[in-house]
């Protein structure tokens, strides 16, 4: 029996639009709830949400059997951390702050077993192999790995065309907030120079044939990103959705 198919990777390869949402509660119960909403992908965020390996693992377990695909974002692309979340069952990773083709190629190798990469082959005891109930896991897992790299600095944009040539990079996500900050527009990702840079980057990624990704909770802006070439687009962040609704409800009753 081979490793489970990665439906998100397959959908991207078919050119299908994938609508996503950030899962930032660091909690399996909340992430399972989100999986009932109908998003194609959910980011289990280990960069800016208080997640660690056990909370990420519990969220992967909670998403099992749902159609929303888990995209695990690590704080940084370290090979040891990649190995741990892959063994926990993640198939798709989103790695922040990639600034060169060399970095991207190193990430590809960290996600693959030899001879294609350096992933440690101890999955026999891990959730990824169904605790050894998937006999061909290690022989077939490489093909189901999906690497999304985040380009979100001026240096990253300068290296974008090179990054796009790296085999094994399955998609490139433009991070609007970090890009704005790096361009000197901290907190102003909608300012014209940042939007121009995002437009250029999404266009270049789409033209290369690789899927482009982006994030906006502003629905008009998200639509704009799709028009500019984004194929996988995150349109919500769960903590902010709850915060906004809670604040609006309280204000309505306090002020009315
Ligand atoms: O730079 C960005 O934008 C991102 O990388 C996404 C953010 O980190 C997201 O968590 C919300 O701001």
């Amino acid at each position: 029996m081979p490793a489970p198919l990665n439906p998100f990777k397959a959908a991207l390869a078919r050119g299908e639009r994938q609508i996503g949402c950030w899962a930032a509660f660091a909690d399996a119960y909340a992430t399972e709830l989100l999986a009932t909403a109908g998003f194609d992908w959910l980011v289990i965020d280990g960069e800016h949400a208080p997640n660690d390996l056990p909370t990420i693992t519990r969220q992967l377990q909670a998403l099992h059997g749902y159609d929303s695909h888990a995209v695990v974002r690590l704080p940084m692309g370290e090979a040891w951390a990649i190995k741990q979340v892959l063994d926990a069952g993640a198939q798709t990773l989103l790695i922040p702050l990639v600034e060169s083709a060399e970095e991207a190629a190193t990430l590809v190798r960290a996600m693959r077993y030899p001879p294609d990469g350096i992933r440690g082959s101890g999955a026999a005891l891990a959730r990824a192999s169904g605790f050894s109930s998937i006999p061909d896991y290690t022989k077939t897992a490489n093909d189901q790995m999906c690497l999304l790299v985040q380009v979100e600095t001026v240096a990253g944009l300068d290296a974008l065309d090179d990054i796009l040539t790296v085999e094994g990079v399955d998609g490139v996500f433009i991070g609007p907030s970090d890009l704005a900050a790096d361009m000197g527009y901290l907190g102003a990702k909608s300012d014209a120079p940042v939007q121009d840079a995002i437009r250029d980057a999404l266009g270049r990624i789409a033209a290369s044939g690789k899927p482009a990704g982006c994030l906006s909770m502003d629905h008009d802006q998200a639509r704009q990103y799709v028009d500019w070439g984004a194929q996988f687009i995150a349109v919500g962040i769960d903590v902010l959705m709850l915060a906004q609704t809670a604040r609006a409800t309280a204000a309505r009753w306090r002020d009315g």
Side-chain angles (χ1 to χ4, degrees), residues 22 24 45 47-49 73 94 96 150-152 173-180 189 215 237 240:
W22 244 249
D45 191 0
E47 185 186 14
H48 289 299
R73 179 162 79 162
L94 177 62
Q150 276 187 238
V151 168
E152 46 192 353
F173 178 97
I174 302 298
S177 297
D178 281 309
L179 180 60
K189 60 188 171 210
L215 157 72
I237 301 175
L240 297 183

Side-chain angles (χ1 to χ4, degrees), residues 207-223:
S208 79
K210 291 215 197 268
C214 206
L215 157 72
S216 181
M217 276 191 67
D218 174 323
H219 291 238
D220 291 334
Q221 191 171 62
R223 173 65 55 191

Side-chain angles (χ1 to χ4, degrees), residues 1-5 53 57 60-61 64 82-93 111 113 119-142 144-145:
M1 191 187 0
L5 294 178
L53 187 59
T57 304
L60 290 168
Q61 291 171 317
H64 184 75
I82 289 173
K83 175 169 55 181
Q84 288 188 316
V85 291
L86 297 186
D87 279 354
Q91 293 181 302
T92 301
L93 302 186
M111 292 181 72
Y113 288 120
R119 180 178 173 190
S121 64
L125 58 78
R127 181 173 176 270
S129 72
F131 309 101
S132 284
S133 67
I134 305 173
D136 300 322
Y137 178 79
T138 50
K139 290 196 195 85
T140 55
N142 286 359
Q144 304 308 326
M145 296 295 124

Side-chain angles (χ1 to χ4, degrees), residues 79-218:
W80 63 267
I82 289 173
K83 175 169 55 181
Q84 288 188 316
V85 291
L86 297 186
D87 279 354
Q91 293 181 302
T92 301
L93 302 186
L94 177 62
I95 304 294
L97 283 170
V98 174
E99 296 192 315
S100 71
E102 291 72 25
E103 277 179 53
T106 300
L107 295 170
V108 172
R109 288 175 55 72
M111 292 181 72
R112 296 182 180 202
Y113 288 120
D116 301 335
I118 58 156
R119 180 178 173 190
S121 64
L125 58 78
R127 181 173 176 270
S129 72
F131 309 101
S132 284
S133 67
I134 305 173
D136 300 322
Y137 178 79
T138 50
K139 290 196 195 85
T140 55
N142 286 359
D143 288 344
Q144 304 308 326
M145 296 295 124
C146 179
L147 172 62
L148 309 173
V149 297
Q150 276 187 238
V151 168
E152 46 192 353
T153 59
V154 174
L157 289 184
D158 289 345
L160 180 58
D161 293 339
D162 291 337
I163 291 169
L164 288 167
T165 65
V166 177
E167 199 187 327
V169 169
D170 297 294
V172 179
F173 178 97
I174 302 298
S177 297
D178 281 309
L179 180 60
D182 196 54
M183 290 176 66
Y185 293 87
L186 179 66
K189 60 188 171 210
S190 296
D191 280 16
V194 182
Q195 289 296 301
D196 288 348
I198 293 173
R199 179 180 196 154
D200 174 69
L202 292 175
R204 278 196 280 158
I205 300 162
S208 79
K210 291 215 197 268
C214 206
L215 157 72
S216 181
M217 276 191 67
D218 174 323

